[in-house]
Amino acid sequence: MMLETLVARYGLIALFLGAGIEGETVVILGGIMVHRGILPPLPAIAAAAAGSFVADQIFFALGRRFRDHRFVRRIRDRPAFARALATFERRPTAFVFAFRFLYGLRTVSPVAIGTTTLPTARFMGVNAASATLWGTTFVGAGYLFGQAIETAFGRIRPLEHVLIPAAAVILLLAIGVRGWRRRR
């Protein structure tokens, strides 16, 4: 089932879950659904913000509770984790506010922040404000650019039978190259 179908069928619940699990793509689709009149604007923003907020709180709690667990150690080994912590150390509040907008740092950042001494209440407050801005931004983008996005995908759709296999081949090659580099 396509993301668009899920958001259209399950509405705000799909938007809440999708914002926490997948992120921007689902929230922009939610904005397109607002543009079409399928979802109400303010509840869509609230669902997107809440989904993002809850997911980040969970990842923060995992980092806090399981600092020395295998799961967190595996995330800690990623280069993005080290970048996240280095940036966090320079400007902790700004980083907590901005990480969800930084490509490649969205998932590891709350885990990384959870391993620090930042108070939970401070993380929660800044996280709530940031999630609200994030939800508003991406639902708004879907709403404002909904027609253009639909037009672009309408033009791409006839090429799906070529683009999807090409993307799969590229993904498999990337995985193969990465595995080959790790063995060296």
Side-chain angles (χ1 to χ4, degrees), residues 58-68 72 76 110-112 114-115:
I58 290 169
F59 283 124
F60 175 83
L62 287 172
R64 179 67 39 104
R65 171 71 175 86
F66 298 105
R67 287 182 177 130
D68 298 319
V72 175
R76 220 184 263 169
V111 175
T115 65

Side-chain angles (χ1 to χ4, degrees), residues 1-67:
M1 194 178 287
M2 293 180 57
L3 287 174
E4 180 181 4
T5 306
L6 286 171
V7 173
R9 183 176 291 166
Y10 299 106
L12 297 175
I13 293 170
L15 191 53
F16 171 83
L17 294 173
I21 296 169
E22 195 287 324
E24 290 84 359
T25 304
V26 172
V27 177
I28 288 173
L29 285 173
I32 292 171
M33 297 297 134
V34 170
H35 176 78
R36 289 182 182 172
I38 296 169
L39 294 176
L42 292 179
I45 290 169
S52 180
F53 171 80
V54 168
D56 292 335
Q57 285 301 134
I58 290 169
F59 283 124
F60 175 83
L62 287 172
R64 179 67 39 104
R65 171 71 175 86
F66 298 105
R67 287 182 177 130

Side-chain angles (χ1 to χ4, degrees), residues 23 39 43 66 72 87 100 106 113 116 125 128 147 157 160 166:
L39 294 176
F66 298 105
V72 175
T87 306
R100 78 184 68 249
R106 180 151 190 254
I113 296 166
T116 70
Q147 189 66 43
R157 204 162 281 181
E160 283 177 341

Side-chain angles (χ1 to χ4, degrees), residues 55-146:
D56 292 335
Q57 285 301 134
I58 290 169
F59 283 124
F60 175 83
L62 287 172
R64 179 67 39 104
R65 171 71 175 86
F66 298 105
R67 287 182 177 130
D68 298 319
H69 190 270
R70 177 178 37 159
F71 168 75
V72 175
R73 281 195 316 251
R74 196 170 59 226
I75 292 174
R76 220 184 263 169
D77 292 339
R78 294 181 184 175
F81 191 93
R83 284 193 312 267
L85 276 181
T87 306
F88 172 81
E89 293 298 327
R90 285 192 298 275
R91 302 207 188 288
T93 302
F95 182 75
V96 170
F97 191 83
F99 75 79
R100 78 184 68 249
F101 296 97
L102 303 173
Y103 181 76
L105 295 178
R106 180 151 190 254
T107 305
V108 300
S109 293
V111 175
I113 296 166
T115 65
T116 70
T117 59
L118 183 77
T120 301
R122 184 170 168 197
F123 178 81
M124 189 178 293
V126 176
N127 186 31
S130 178
T132 302
L133 178 64
W134 181 86
T136 303
T137 300
F138 286 98
V139 168
Y143 178 81
L144 292 174
F145 301 111

